[in-house]
Amino acid sequence: MPGTRLVLHVDADAFFASVEQALQPELKGKAVMVGGSDRGVVSAASYEARRYGVHSAMPVVQARRLCPHGIFLKPNFLAYRQFSRRMFQIMREYSPLVEVTSVDEGYMDLTGTLRLHRAPPWEIAHRILVDIRSQLGINASGGMAGNKTAAKMATGIAKPNGLLYLEPELAPLVLGQLPVGTIPGVGKKARIVLQRHGIRTVGDLAGIPTSKARSLLGLWGERLVETASGRRIRPVRSESREAQKSYSQERTLTEDTVDYAFVRRVAREIAEKLIARLRADGKGASTVTFKVRYADFTDKSRSVSLKEPTNENREILARIDSLFRKTITRSMSIRQVGVKLSGIDRPAFQEDLFEPDRTSRYQRDKAVDLIRNQFGFEAVCVSDWTAEPG
DNA sequence: TCTGGGGTCCTAGGACCC
DNA sequence: TCTGGGGTCCTAGGACCC
């Protein structure tokens, strides 16, 4: 058959909650929810918790009301990363063509491995899921089809703890009946627009002319029609990971505040942590963005671009200060503070014999990174980074 | 119900250049 | 005097994903 490809999508079920249950067997069979603070949302809910109507992205406060006896845990990202690495390792034992799309899901191209393993595709997929379950103690679901989108949608049908093989001839029939919102990329807004025009299922979307999709949803709409009709085929890419394009961190304060001096300190602290990550990765950023979310949930951000990528504290923190003044123009209390560093590239400045001051400042930045890595962020407080860049 | 955090990509308008 | 258009970069905001 021409161009017959076989893609397997693997997605761990209720990943964060499942890892917690694997690490603490006494949690098995119980309603486990992983979330940040009481001002946050649920990141993952075990299937036991879902029976009470809890789902991810639900405010923690609401989850507590629905499931008061449930177990609420703070996330342990280190453990999740370890389980994630092991899961992808298992997948790579069956094919080198594994694409990691997030901590708990990925694709693999099984086209070339069928002969290698001398087994039908569903058999291989089944073995992978069994290996994950037996070696990690967590359940994963799988979807197999002729392209990535169909495979991912198949996983959605198979969940939890299932496997679905959609043969290419059957895929349009099966997927065409699903609600249009099940297509990856159709969120709440797009769904509303589409429904207003009578487009309710994947099949409805596949059937409209691209010109109509474009008028409704722009370029994105055209792509969605191609996706819905199975014409948008993207290869499984196993490159370790494309270069990261931005580093950002946001923090929701424990309570809304009008103490702007405090907000500024938080922003600088976040920025220092991000810059340290840049330095650790040997990268620099050329765009600095400062963002606040006001108590009424409106967001405001201001950004500035530099001539060259940098990872020097002095350069970036001075920008944070001026952006801070440009951004906070209302006397409303602030809920969340965020910093984003983008335009990531190799840093322009390297330690240089002919710029002794700058070099020694840079060495100090790196020395502070070392100490903080060992003793924590609070171990060092440096106060004179407010200086304007020279 | 009362709304996280870390990302990617897209859009639209304005500046600036040719 | 009136009026271009394309390309590129920057900025602000928003949709979406997990």
Side-chain angles (χ1 to χ4, degrees), chain A residues 123-370:
Chain A
E123 172 79 40
I124 294 170
H126 181 72
R127 274 189 226 163
I128 292 169
L129 298 182
V130 167
D131 284 357
I132 291 172
R133 196 177 316 145
S134 63
Q135 293 179 37
L136 301 185
I138 64 173
N139 288 338
S141 300
M144 206 163 24
N147 66 71
K148 291 205 285 189
T149 305
K152 186 176 165 68
M153 293 173 72
T155 305
I157 300 172
K159 263 180 176 301
N161 197 17
L163 172 64
L164 177 62
Y165 177 20
L166 271 185
E167 292 186 54
E169 314 81 69
L170 289 177
L173 244 67
V174 176
L175 300 181
Q177 303 172 45
L178 297 179
V180 72
T182 55
I183 298 174
V186 177
K188 197 175 169 197
K189 301 282 176 170
R191 203 175 62 233
I192 290 170
V193 171
L194 292 171
Q195 279 175 352
R196 246 204 315 265
H197 290 78
I199 301 157
R200 294 194 172 75
T201 65
V202 175
D204 291 342
L205 183 60
I208 70 170
T210 42
S211 57
K212 180 166 182 189
R214 193 191 172 95
S215 72
L216 294 179
L217 296 169
L219 205 58
W220 188 238
E222 285 189 25
R223 276 187 215 168
L224 288 176
V225 171
E226 305 256 293
T227 302
S229 58
R231 294 196 300 269
R232 186 155 188 253
I233 308 282
R234 298 154 302 146
V236 175
R237 308 167 343 221
S238 65
E239 300 98 83
S240 54
R241 185 167 63 115
E242 280 189 30
Q244 192 172 343
K245 294 185 173 157
S246 67
Y247 291 58
S248 70
Q249 196 180 327
E250 296 176 345
R251 191 181 302 170
T252 297
L253 308 174
T254 49
E255 53 184 25
D256 299 351
T257 182
V258 287
D259 182 350
Y260 300 130
F262 170 71
V263 171
R264 177 172 166 277
R265 282 199 300 279
V266 171
R268 292 173 60 93
E269 183 185 319
I270 291 172
E272 283 185 57
K273 288 181 177 169
L274 292 174
I275 304 163
R277 279 177 55 199
L278 281 180
R279 274 194 295 269
D281 293 350
K283 296 288 173 58
S286 59
T287 301
V288 182
T289 305
F290 173 73
K291 173 196 161 189
V292 291
R293 172 167 293 165
Y294 287 104
D296 68 355
F297 260 77
T298 53
D299 292 340
K300 187 168 177 188
S301 70
R302 287 292 176 266
S303 61
V304 64
S305 291
L306 316 172
K307 284 198 194 71
E308 295 176 323
T310 180
N311 58 24
E312 293 168 83
N313 281 20
R314 188 160 115 144
E315 300 290 325
I316 294 176
L317 291 176
R319 266 50 177 221
I320 291 288
D321 285 340
S322 57
L323 290 170
F324 178 87
R325 287 190 291 272
K326 276 175 73 180
T327 309
I328 301 191
T329 52
R330 303 165 64 185
S331 57
M332 183 185 283
S333 51
I334 287 172
R335 178 185 179 89
Q336 185 194 64
V337 191
V339 174
K340 176 162 89 164
L341 304 178
S342 53
I344 305 299
D345 209 335
R346 291 173 59 84
F349 174 73
Q350 297 295 338
E351 294 170 49
D352 182 343
L353 232 52
F354 300 99
E355 289 193 78
D357 288 353
R358 198 172 172 191
T359 295
S360 69
R361 229 174 15 240
Y362 191 66
Q363 287 167 345
R364 182 184 62 182
D365 288 349
K366 291 202 296 186
V368 168
D369 294 346
L370 278 175

Side-chain angles (χ1 to χ4, degrees), chain A residues 62-137:
Chain A
Q62 190 185 352
R64 280 190 195 281
R65 253 194 305 270
L66 289 172
C67 191
H69 63 282
I71 296 156
F72 290 81
L73 300 172
K74 294 265 179 283
N76 176 4
F77 293 108
L78 233 66
Y80 309 151
R81 263 196 293 276
Q82 278 172 8
F83 271 71
S84 173
R85 270 196 288 269
R86 290 169 64 196
M87 184 175 95
F88 290 113
Q89 207 45 56
I90 290 169
M91 290 163 67
R92 285 191 196 96
E93 287 169 15
Y94 290 86
S95 165
L97 256 180
V98 171
E99 176 175 337
V100 178
T101 51
S102 83
V103 70
D104 69 341
E105 70 174 273
Y107 296 95
M108 49 197 301
D109 192 323
L110 290 180
T111 313
T113 62
L114 298 181
R115 230 173 328 166
L116 189 71
H117 293 279
R118 287 201 196 84
W122 59 265
E123 172 79 40
I124 294 170
H126 181 72
R127 274 189 226 163
I128 292 169
L129 298 182
V130 167
D131 284 357
I132 291 172
R133 196 177 316 145
S134 63
Q135 293 179 37
L136 301 185

